[in-house]
Structure formats: C-alpha cells, structure tokens
Amino acid sequence: MVLSVLAVQTQAAFQVWLFSEPEIRLTGARWLAEQTTNFAVEIFAQPVSGRKLKAEQMSSVLSVAWSAEKPIERSNSDHDLMFARLGATIKAMLGNTIRAVELHDTGFSVIAPFQRIKTDVMPATIAASLSTLPLSSNEPETLIPASLRIAVQGRDGSWMSVSFAETVGGIGYALPLLPLIGGGLIIAAISTLLARRIVAPLDRLVEAADQIGKTRDFVTVSDQGLYEFGGVARAFEDMQRRLLSFVTERTQMLAAISHDLRTSLTRMRICAEQLDAEDDRNAIMSEISDMTAMVDTTLAFASGETSEATNQSMDLAALLISLVDEATDKGLDCSYVGPDHLEIVGRLIPLKRAFRNLIDNAVKYGSVARVDLKASHDRVEIGINDNGPGIPEDRIEEAMAPFRRLDQSRSAEIPGTGLGLTIVRDVISSHGGAITFRTEHGRGFTVTVLLPK
C-alpha cells in the first residue's frame, strides 16, 4: 500500500515538473502564407511524377509533402478567426491556380485523449464584427500556433501540405502522456504484486484445508505471511488439534474395548469347541466369527487403517488382477478387463481393502463382478459391474453411512457389518478420488471409481 501511494505521488510530482514551464511555439502568419504560396507555385508547376520528389527537396524548417489524396481529415479554418484569415491570404496569393485551402491545428489531437485548446471570443457580437479578409502588407505580423498544418488543393485535385517538421506526430506532443503511462504502469505493477501477496496466503490456506480430512496427520498452515491470515491459519491448527485429540481418545477407547472383546470371544470359542452337540457348537462358532469380523472391521475403520500408510508407486492393474484371481479361486464369478500393468501413486493396503469390499459386494448382491480398468493422461477409471438391483439414487448417502444396510430382509442371509462402502469412500477420498453409482435397466449396477495417477 505504501509503495502504491509513493508511486502516485511520484507521478503527480513529475507532471507538476513537466508542466511547470509549458512551451507554446508560435510563427508568423504572413511569413507562413508566403512560404506556403511559394511551395504551391513550384510544386504544382512540376509534372505529376516529379511533385513528390520536389516536395521532399523543398522541406527544411517546414515539412512539405504532396499526395493525390487529402492529407488531413478536417479543417479548423471555419472555427478560428486567424486561421480563416490565413487561409484567405493564401487563396488570394494563389488566385485561380488552386481549388481550396484547408488548415488544421494538430495540437494534442494527434495523441488521444487530448484535444486542441479551444478559444472563444466573448461576447459573440465582437466575433461577428471581426474581419476575415486576407492579411495586408500594412498590418503588423501576427503570431499563430506553430502546430498548424496547411493543405492546398491544386486544380488537378491533388494536394500539397505544409507543416513544421516536428509538429505532426512529434515526440514533444507525446511527452505529456509519458508520466500518465509510466505512472499507470508502475501502479499496475505494484497493485499486481500486492494482489498476489494477498491472494497467495489464501491459496496456501485452501491447499492446507483441503488436506485436512484426507490424512490423519497434522497439517501445518500457520506460515501465511500476513498477520490476518496467520490468525485464520492458527485457528485451523487449533481446530485440527482438538479434532485429532478427540479422534485419538475415541480410538484408544475402541482399541481397549476391542481388546477386551477379543479376549472374551477367544474364551467363548474355546468353550464352544468343547460342546458335544455339533449343531449347537456350529451355531455358536458362527456367531463368534460374525462378532469377531464386526469387531475387527469397526476397529480398522475407527483407528484409521483406511487412511494411514505412506504414498508409494504401485501397480493398480496387478492389484485388481490379484483380487479377481482371489475371488475366482473361491468359485465366484469374477472377471477383469484392462492393461496388465498400470502404475499410480497411492497406499496399497487401504486401496486393496476398498476394492476387495467393492468386489465382494458385487458378488454378494449381483452374483457376478466384472472389473474394468481404463487410464487417461492424468487419472484412472475403475468400473465394477454386477447384475444386482443396485442402490436407489435417493438412498446413496444412506448406503454410505456407517453401520447401515439397506436390505434389512437379507441382512441375516448375507453377512456384513454395514461399513464396506463407508471404508471405500474414506479410502478413495483420501487419495483425492471420487466414487459414483449408476443403475441401468438390463445392464445391472456399476460402481465407478476415479483416481489420480
């Protein structure tokens, strides 16, 4: 902010210095009329092919040019008394050898947005009484702006123009724009730097906030530069500490409960194995196995097994092929279509658990699992299709919730804890991916997983 103020003040000071001694160049009206007349007589006396060269040879203090087209867009001779008298003087000197004379004060109008200085005679009755007759030899010399440009049209329709060499498009008239342009560029550059300095901490804060939830590790976000953003970053860190402390306490509690449950389940298994009645023994052993699986799955989900471990290069195709082979060896209908090898960066154990859950669900509820793997330049797409009824679109979020099983009537027939899809979503999200569901009539149910490479 300080730099912007300094830039504005410097620009203003430079403009004050630039215009502190303004320079207005003047010339004699009669002298200019005589010079223009002489140039016109000599140039129009030449053959058309030699007029341009003659005009260039005559240029010195005055710039002389000849062209077949009109060299100026508009005339000021009708709006300025002195211009009108100068034009009338040139016409009188040249007589019938020319068609027209037009005058134009280039002034600042050469470079937008500046316009020439407008002069008015007050009151209007005085302006009406002033003469527009040609200048006479008895009158004293009259000064006019040297920024004037005169165009004379010959009898053949061609034009000759006269002006001071440095007035048309000269750097002198562009000079007032230099502080404006330079100051504007300086202010724009400083403003851009300040904007980037303000926005950059926000970008870093967004990146850090995006990592929160994808990992159970502490994400440092305090190095944000500006004090205001530093306060927000510190609040984020405090929130993380409280969340991590809460999760850690609950995890330790679940681990302790799991340990006690496992001990009790082990004792129950030993006692069940000693039963003489085979039917009772098998029933109790089945219940113990279901409870053990539920405890293990719940503990794995709560303790962060799905999101811990280190990212590493892994062969996703080999992982999917091994899971398909594992299901096939159990006598399940499972197939794979895709490349033999596909390297991505991820966490092997959580991804293996997630895709095993999806394949198991496809076989349990759809009788078959067809795994398809495709890759593009920046991501991979895994599709798992089955013949099942799928999940209604309005119940997808319910299906992803922990310990929820949609088909309660089949819960007793199909074992499970209701954490399969919850674990899948947790794993895929922690890898920066996405999961979608699609049910098509006649084509079954498809789960699509998108992962970055």
Side-chain angles (χ1 to χ4, degrees), residues 292-337:
T292 302
M294 184 179 298
V295 170
D296 292 341
T297 304
T298 303
L299 184 62
F301 172 70
S303 62
E305 180 185 313
T306 57
S307 58
E308 291 179 350
T310 304
N311 280 328
Q312 60 183 353
S313 178
M314 54 171 286
D315 191 336
L316 180 61
L319 171 61
L320 294 175
I321 292 172
S322 66
L323 292 175
V324 170
D325 291 341
E326 179 181 304
T328 304
D329 292 341
K330 295 178 181 179
L332 303 176
D333 187 356
C334 193
S335 62
Y336 169 82
V337 176

Side-chain angles (χ1 to χ4, degrees), residues 3-4 7 182-196:
L3 293 178
S4 297
L185 292 175
I186 292 174
I187 293 174
I190 294 176
S191 300
T192 302
L193 292 176
L194 289 175
R196 291 185 63 183

Side-chain angles (χ1 to χ4, degrees), residues 81-339:
L81 175 63
M82 184 48 62
F83 289 175
R85 295 197 69 190
L86 177 59
T89 302
I90 297 173
K91 287 181 181 179
M93 289 181 175
L94 293 173
N96 294 329
T97 60
I98 62 170
R99 287 186 179 180
V101 176
E102 294 191 7
L103 295 89
H104 176 60
D105 185 11
T106 58
F108 286 139
S109 62
V110 175
I111 301 179
F114 294 101
Q115 301 295 327
R116 63 185 292 273
I117 299 175
K118 182 179 180 181
T119 58
D120 290 320
V121 178
M122 301 295 292
T125 54
I126 296 179
S129 65
L130 294 175
S131 173
T132 58
L133 296 176
L135 297 168
S136 66
S137 58
N138 297 328
E139 295 182 50
E141 182 65 282
T142 303
L143 296 178
I144 60 174
S147 57
L148 191 67
R149 187 178 187 186
I150 305 172
V152 180
Q153 186 182 31
R155 299 300 301 175
D156 60 352
S158 63
W159 292 81
M160 180 207 72
S161 64
V162 177
S163 62
F164 279 87
E166 69 274 18
T167 58
V168 181
I171 189 63
Y173 291 105
L175 193 60
L177 288 178
L178 294 181
L180 297 177
I181 297 174
L185 292 175
I186 292 174
I187 293 174
I190 294 176
S191 300
T192 302
L193 292 176
L194 289 175
R196 291 185 63 183
R197 177 177 172 80
I198 293 173
V199 173
L202 280 177
D203 292 338
R204 293 196 298 270
L205 188 61
V206 169
E207 292 176 2
D210 185 60
Q211 292 300 317
I212 299 174
K214 290 185 177 181
T215 175
R216 298 188 188 276
D217 297 329
F218 183 82
V219 180
T220 302
V221 293
S222 59
D223 185 17
Q224 298 298 325
L226 298 179
Y227 174 79
E228 291 79 3
F229 294 125
V232 177
R234 287 189 290 273
F236 263 85
E237 290 187 343
D238 292 341
M239 178 188 69
Q240 283 189 84
R241 292 187 182 94
R242 289 192 294 269
L243 290 175
L244 289 175
S245 176
F246 176 82
V247 172
T248 301
E249 290 176 0
R250 297 306 184 271
T251 301
Q252 291 174 350
M253 180 182 66
L254 284 173
I257 294 174
S258 175
H259 180 269
D260 293 341
L261 285 175
R262 281 190 179 130
T263 302
S264 299
L265 288 172
T266 301
R267 292 173 181 170
M268 291 173 61
R269 186 185 297 274
I270 294 173
C271 294
E273 290 176 350
Q274 297 177 359
L275 292 175
D276 295 330
E278 183 176 354
D279 292 341
D280 293 341
R281 183 174 64 250
N282 292 337
I284 294 176
M285 292 293 291
S286 177
E287 291 295 333
I288 293 173
S289 297
D290 291 344
M291 292 179 63
T292 302
M294 184 179 298
V295 170
D296 292 341
T297 304
T298 303
L299 184 62
F301 172 70
S303 62
E305 180 185 313
T306 57
S307 58
E308 291 179 350
T310 304
N311 280 328
Q312 60 183 353
S313 178
M314 54 171 286
D315 191 336
L316 180 61
L319 171 61
L320 294 175
I321 292 172
S322 66
L323 292 175
V324 170
D325 291 341
E326 179 181 304
T328 304
D329 292 341
K330 295 178 181 179
L332 303 176
D333 187 356
C334 193
S335 62
Y336 169 82
V337 176

